[in-house]
Amino acid sequence: MEKMRVGIIGGGLMGREAASAFGRWFVLEDFPVQAELVAVCDLQDKLLDWFRRVPTVRLFTKDHQELLRSPDVDVVYVAVPHNLHEKMYLDVLAAGKDLLAEKPFGIDLKAARAIRDASTKSGRFVRCSSEFPFLPPAQRVVQAVQSGKLGRIMEIRSGFWHASDLDPSKPVNWKRQVKTCGEIGVMGDLGMHAVHVPFRLGWKPLRVYAQLQKIYTQRPDGKGGMAACDTWDNAMLHTEVKVGGDEVPMRLEMKRLAPGETNTWFIEVLGTEGGVRFSTKEPKTLWVFERAKEQIWQRIDLGHQMAFTTITGGIFEAGFPDCFLQMWAAYAAERAGKLGHRFGCVTPDEAVLSHELFAAALQSQSKRTAVAL
Ligand SMILES: NC(=O)c1ccc[n+]([C@@H]2O[C@H](COP(=O)([O-])OP(=O)(O)OC[C@H]3O[C@@H](n4cnc5c(N)ncnc54)[C@H](O)[C@@H]3O)[C@@H](O)[C@H]2O)c1
């Protein structure tokens, strides 16, 4: 069986989530690639120590170049603050390694284009992270649209909401400051999650009218004082896309302050004949609309119907670690030329398109007008 030996740069929240996916890789059934986490790089001793509980990790370092020099590493997952994306991703490619990049794929449009161009030139296999579309109800939304049975598409809504920033005593971190998160703020944090499915379905915004909000402009700095928070907190992007010759409204929502929404990813597509709706708020529920003699919204309970089958029972509900494992399985399968007709990870071109949208949204906000893409 083909082996995929992975190194992680950035062992924080997402680096450890990736370690968890590799740790239970064996649940994938009849999977053509065996993944193994072999190296980790982080600046913090306590995080390097955490990775010592992963028996396959042989290299622990604070120097990402040392990890990149290791001949044992085939693929690098980089999960670091956004201001470090461009340099680290280019270093990975220069070292001749494949890359699963974290979103937003560079701090801004210029960085994203530089990374995309370097990845094309290098010929390495590069994809970007976005895991929620791998949940079973999200895949059913994709299939419903591709079936053509929804009739004429009238409206699309896709988004990702968080709530914890409603608490003004939540301390500042790198995701709340332009110098480390980027001027695009919440769009860089949550935007890729909202655009992955629409872009893959071919829905590319023609123009955007953006409503961006800064709600809390300072937060506790964790040292007894206050620190400036200068990123956008909430973003509503009103766009139009071409679907079958018609211009259709598509609203993309990214919010750090959405009351009561802990980590809510959702998508809704409404057509003249049918509709589909899924939100992680009801994690196993797919809503399906049918225009028959009477108009009916029906709910279907979905279990573990994954694109890459696992040993988990079909009636058991899927959660965040499951879709993250599926995303990595899609990366490994596509890299090995074995994705087939299944849904794949965000491509470098899609990542650049997301940055084109976010850059246009910044312009729209400053001019208070719709901006063409
Ligand atoms: N896919 C998702 O659902 C998801 C969720 C959260 C964050 N993210 C993305 O993942 C990335 C990381 O976010 P996070 O929440 O894991 O952040 P985090 O702050 O928890 O972790 C970042 C880690 O990078 C390390 N680091 C910083 N500089 C480094 C360097 N020079 N060399 C090595 N390590 C270094 C830090 O010590 C830290 O442990 C970001 O791009 C973020 O947007 C993705």
Side-chain angles (χ1 to χ4, degrees):
M1 196 192 291
E2 184 177 334
K3 258 207 174 174
M4 180 178 88
R5 298 165 308 168
V6 182
I8 290 176
I9 302 177
L13 180 74
M14 295 317 291
R16 281 172 293 161
E17 196 61 46
S20 134
F22 303 127
R24 58 192 203 99
W25 196 261
F26 50 77
V27 302
L28 292 162
E29 289 207 298
D30 302 322
F31 195 74
V33 181
Q34 192 193 337
E36 190 174 86
L37 179 60
V38 296
V40 63
C41 168
D42 200 287
L43 301 179
Q44 301 181 50
D45 287 317
K46 70 173 195 294
L47 288 172
L48 289 178
D49 280 344
W50 183 89
F51 279 88
R52 291 184 201 280
R53 68 181 70 177
V54 183
T56 52
V57 178
R58 296 185 283 275
L59 174 65
F60 303 84
T61 179
K62 291 183 178 179
D63 172 7
H64 75 278
Q65 290 291 7
E66 186 186 356
L67 182 145
L68 296 178
R69 278 194 298 274
S70 167
D72 292 341
V73 174
D74 307 311
V75 167
V76 185
Y77 173 56
V78 186
V80 295
H82 304 168
N83 57 316
L84 301 176
H85 282 191
E86 183 177 4
K87 159 132 186 63
M88 295 258 182
Y89 297 178
L90 296 182
D91 285 350
V92 170
L93 297 170
K97 313 284 190 194
D98 290 340
L99 170 68
L100 182 67
E102 257 305 340
K103 47 86 191 163
F105 206 75
I107 198 162
D108 56 18
L109 176 57
K110 189 165 157 274
R113 284 184 175 147
I115 300 160
R116 188 262 320 268
D117 294 348
S119 85
T120 310
K121 211 165 150 201
S122 70
R124 306 310 313 178
F125 182 67
V126 178
R127 291 290 181 269
C128 182
S129 170
S130 151
E131 60 278 9
F132 295 101
F134 295 94
L135 287 169
Q139 283 299 302
R140 290 280 286 265
V141 168
V142 171
Q143 287 157 16
V145 172
Q146 287 172 338
S147 75
K149 290 186 183 153
L150 302 186
R152 181 173 159 183
I153 304 291
M154 301 186 292
E155 189 178 329
I156 302 149
R157 220 161 55 84
S158 176
F160 196 26
W161 292 336
H162 283 178
S164 61
D165 279 25
L166 267 174
D167 174 3
S169 68
K170 179 179 164 180
V172 73
N173 59 33
W174 66 261
K175 294 174 187 174
R176 307 290 174 269
Q177 297 189 319
V178 167
K179 65 177 191 296
T180 41
C181 176
E183 203 192 336
I184 54 178
V186 68
M187 295 184 282
D189 253 0
L190 307 181
M192 192 73 80
H193 296 291
V195 299
H196 185 184
V197 169
F199 284 3
R200 188 57 57 89
L201 289 169
W203 299 333
K204 304 195 172 150
L206 302 168
R207 66 191 74 81
V208 58
Y209 179 74
Q211 293 168 318
L212 310 181
Q213 291 169 283
K214 289 183 186 174
I215 297 160
Y216 283 117
T217 52
Q218 56 171 15
R219 287 187 176 276
D221 63 6
K223 299 171 208 149
M226 298 298 279
C229 271
D230 50 358
T231 54
W232 295 109
D233 286 319
N234 284 4
M236 298 256 274
L237 307 189
H238 305 268
T239 75
E240 279 103 33
V241 295
K242 259 258 160 69
V243 188
D246 300 311
E247 280 195 15
V248 175
M250 174 165 89
R251 190 163 87 235
L252 303 166
E253 300 188 17
M254 300 128 222
K255 297 183 183 178
R256 290 176 177 159
L257 291 89
E261 306 293 343
T262 306
N263 196 48
T264 305
W265 183 94
F266 62 89
I267 185 156
E268 179 178 63
V269 185
L270 302 177
T272 51
E273 305 299 318
V276 267
R277 180 190 293 158
F278 168 60
S279 163
T280 56
K281 193 94 176 161
E282 291 181 293
K284 60 183 180 179
T285 303
L286 175 71
W287 286 94
V288 178
F289 177 76
E290 253 182 55
R291 186 181 65 78
K293 192 152 181 260
E294 289 185 294
Q295 301 190 2
I296 319 163
W297 274 104
Q298 307 170 80
R299 60 179 295 167
I300 306 170
D301 263 13
L302 291 174
H304 217 83
Q305 286 90 41
M306 293 297 190
F308 297 96
T309 50
T310 70
I311 52 92
T312 303
I315 61 163
F316 299 152
E317 46 283 89
F320 186 88
D322 300 296
C323 63
F324 203 71
L325 173 63
Q326 290 286 316
M327 174 185 80
W328 267 104
Y331 177 90
E334 192 172 6
R335 179 173 177 269
K338 294 185 175 147
L339 186 66
H341 60 278
R342 284 172 289 220
F343 196 86
C345 301
V346 173
T347 64
D349 282 337
E350 288 169 333
V352 168
L353 184 59
S354 75
H355 271 286
E356 287 169 354
L357 173 63
F358 305 150
L362 290 179
Q363 268 188 46
S364 165
Q365 170 71 27
S366 73
K367 294 187 193 156
R368 297 287 197 279
T369 178
V371 171
L373 271 102

